[in-house]
């Protein structure tokens, strides 16, 4: 079902899946070009959760995907307040809060969301996100047919990376942000087994967020969905 | 002389190319030392190169400086394996 939520900068769409009762997961996509590569996968994940009886929502982040909000006007603070508003729009009481499910740099956006816990897949720190974007810009400059990455275009200063015109201030504020750690809330980190970084659970699969053409992996989605369902059940006990 | 872990690096680079470019297992298994990459594989554009380098770094636990990246190290499968071998922790 296509629903919508209102935040102080406007209206955004959100997709809703699964039953109207019971535990609810709010799924946050990563920022920028990784969002395009993981969108189909996120929908598959939400459907797998619904099959297991867990409801979920997939909100548009302002300035990303289908959002009508201009990325050039976005700040980290207003992206986070939009995610908080998406959560609030679900009308859950304090005793029945949604669980945050964040993919990659989506874990930089759920900080203001009222939630019962965080489940993070391959979380990416702000520092690493900015490094990866820098690499995309530099390799385009070095190997591309024409420079596709430009710095400091327009007002306010924007950095153009792979077709996204990103405010330099947004990148600067992302740089210092950690993906993990959010107080005393239950948190679970799942990573791909070849990632060599600390995690609560390792899973086999490929990094769809780096794939040249957006792909999907229903097997991995089913595996992650069962991990989320078991983790939510443990949190609710 | 080939480094001790050459076989492992060769396998890892094939896996990175398969996953980042969305190629089949059979296709990457058939790559030879002189199989051309950049400019020959339509999937491997400059954006995919960025993802490929990050994937190689993550899987091999190495660090690649962006100013080392040029057409030469991406010219063939063998060139990319040699580049990664020169960076791989022994």
């Amino acid at each position: 079902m296509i629903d919508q939520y209102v935040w102080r900068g406007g209206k955004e769409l959100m997709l809703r899946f699964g039953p109207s009762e019971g535990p609810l997961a709010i799924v946050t996509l990563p920022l920028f070009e990784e969002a395009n590569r993981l969108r189909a996968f996120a929908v598959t994940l939400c459907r797998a959760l619904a099959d297991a009886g867990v409801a979920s929502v997939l909100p548009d982040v302002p300035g990303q995907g289908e959002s009508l909000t201009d990325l050039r006007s976005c700040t980290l603070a207003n992206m986070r307040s939009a995610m908080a508003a998406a959560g609030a729009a679900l009308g859950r009481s304090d005793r029945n809060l949604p669980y945050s499910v964040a993919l990659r740099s989506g874990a930089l956006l759920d900080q203001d969301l009222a939630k019962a816990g965080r489940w993070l897949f391959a979380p990416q720190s702000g520092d690493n996100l900015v490094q990866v974007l820098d690499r995309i810009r530099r390799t385009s400059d070095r190997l591309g047919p024409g420079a596709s990455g430009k710095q400091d275009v327009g007002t306010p200063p924007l950095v153009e990376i792979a077709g996204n015109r990103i405010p330099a201030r947004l990148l600067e504020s992302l740089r210092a942000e950690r993906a993990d750690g959010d107080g005393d809330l239950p948190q679970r980190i799942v990573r791909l087994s070849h990632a060599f970084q600390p995690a609560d659970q390792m899973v086999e699969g490929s990094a769809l967020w780096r794939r040249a053409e957006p792909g999907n992996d229903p097997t991995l989605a089913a595996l992650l969905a069962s991990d989320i369902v078991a983790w939510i059940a443990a949190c609710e006990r | 002389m080939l480094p001790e872990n050459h076989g492992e690096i060769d396998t890892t680079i094939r896996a990175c190319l398969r996953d980042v470019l969305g190629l089949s297992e059979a296709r990457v298994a058939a790559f030879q030392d002189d199989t051309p990459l950049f400019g020959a594989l339509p999937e491997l554009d400059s954006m995919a190169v960025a993802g490929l380098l990050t994937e190689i770094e993550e899987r091999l636990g190495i660090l690649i400086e962006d100013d080392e990246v040029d057409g030469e190290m991406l010219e063939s499968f063998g060139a990319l394996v040699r580049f990664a071998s020169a960076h791989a922790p022994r």
Side-chain angles (χ1 to χ4, degrees):
Chain A
M1 181 181 94
I2 300 177
D3 201 350
Q4 59 180 30
Y5 71 93
V6 178
W7 66 289
R8 63 175 187 234
K11 270 184 198 169
E12 307 288 346
L13 297 180
M14 59 181 171
L15 298 177
R16 299 186 72 146
F17 302 83
S20 51
E21 306 270 301
L24 173 68
I26 176 159
V27 180
T28 310
L29 284 167
L31 288 161
F32 314 128
E33 90 294 345
E34 285 194 9
N36 304 325
R37 297 188 189 142
L38 286 191
R39 191 168 174 84
F41 178 73
V43 169
T44 306
L45 178 65
C46 289
R47 292 205 173 115
L49 287 171
D51 288 344
V54 170
S56 60
V57 296
L58 181 62
D60 270 355
V61 178
Q64 307 288 292
E66 303 293 308
S67 168
L68 297 175
T69 308
D70 191 342
L71 175 58
R72 289 177 295 181
S73 69
C74 287
T75 64
L76 181 58
N78 62 26
M79 284 172 151
R80 283 179 173 174
S81 80
M83 288 300 97
L90 303 170
R92 291 293 177 111
S93 72
D94 285 351
R95 285 188 306 178
N96 197 18
L97 288 172
Y99 292 87
S100 175
V101 167
L103 311 178
R104 299 280 294 153
S105 58
L108 303 171
L109 302 178
D110 70 340
Q111 278 69 11
D112 296 346
L113 169 72
K115 56 201 173 286
R118 303 177 85 208
W119 184 98
L120 313 178
F121 180 53
Q124 185 185 32
S125 68
D127 187 42
N128 186 254
L129 168 66
V130 175
Q131 275 174 23
V132 167
L133 291 170
D134 262 347
R135 165 165 280 169
I136 291 170
R137 185 172 57 77
R138 286 191 208 183
T139 49
S140 299
D141 285 348
R142 290 175 78 86
L143 302 170
S148 69
K150 300 188 202 83
Q151 253 186 319
D152 299 335
V153 288
T155 313
L158 302 165
V159 184
E160 189 174 331
I161 300 166
N164 285 305
R165 305 186 91 192
I166 307 171
R169 271 180 65 185
L170 174 57
L171 292 180
E172 212 38 59
S173 51
L174 282 165
R175 200 185 284 274
E177 296 300 314
R178 290 174 57 123
D180 57 347
D182 194 14
D184 300 326
L185 285 177
Q187 178 176 277
R188 181 169 172 85
I189 297 180
V190 178
R191 291 186 191 274
L192 294 180
S193 53
H194 58 254
F196 296 115
Q197 285 187 63
D200 299 299
Q201 180 69 40
M202 300 285 206
V203 292
E204 291 297 324
S206 66
L208 286 172
W209 53 90
R210 289 194 195 113
R211 185 160 293 179
E213 293 295 325
N216 205 341
D217 187 344
T219 308
L220 180 61
L223 189 67
L224 297 184
S226 65
D227 192 90
I228 294 167
V229 170
W231 172 74
I232 288 178
C235 291
E236 301 253 305
R237 250 176 242 140
Chain B
M1 217 179 96
L2 294 173
E4 227 171 73
N5 50 356
H6 181 267
E8 191 190 315
I9 294 170
D10 179 288
T11 308
T12 304
I13 302 292
R14 283 180 208 270
C16 290
L17 287 163
R18 179 197 63 205
D19 286 357
V20 173
L21 304 183
L23 303 177
S24 70
E25 190 74 51
R27 189 148 171 225
V28 295
F31 280 175
Q32 305 286 322
D33 200 68
D34 60 354
T35 302
L37 298 180
F38 192 66
L41 296 176
E43 298 89 348
L44 188 61
D45 58 13
S46 61
M47 182 113 168
V49 168
L52 179 66
L53 296 175
T54 307
E55 184 78 7
I56 291 171
E57 281 185 332
E58 193 170 287
R59 290 202 187 206
L60 289 177
I62 61 173
L63 190 68
I64 299 169
E65 298 292 341
D66 290 340
D67 54 14
E68 298 175 276
V69 178
D70 55 26
E72 211 174 302
M73 46 90 58
L74 292 160
E75 198 173 29
S76 65
F77 177 70
L80 184 57
V81 173
R82 280 188 294 278
F83 177 85
S85 299
H87 287 71
R90 301 280 149 82

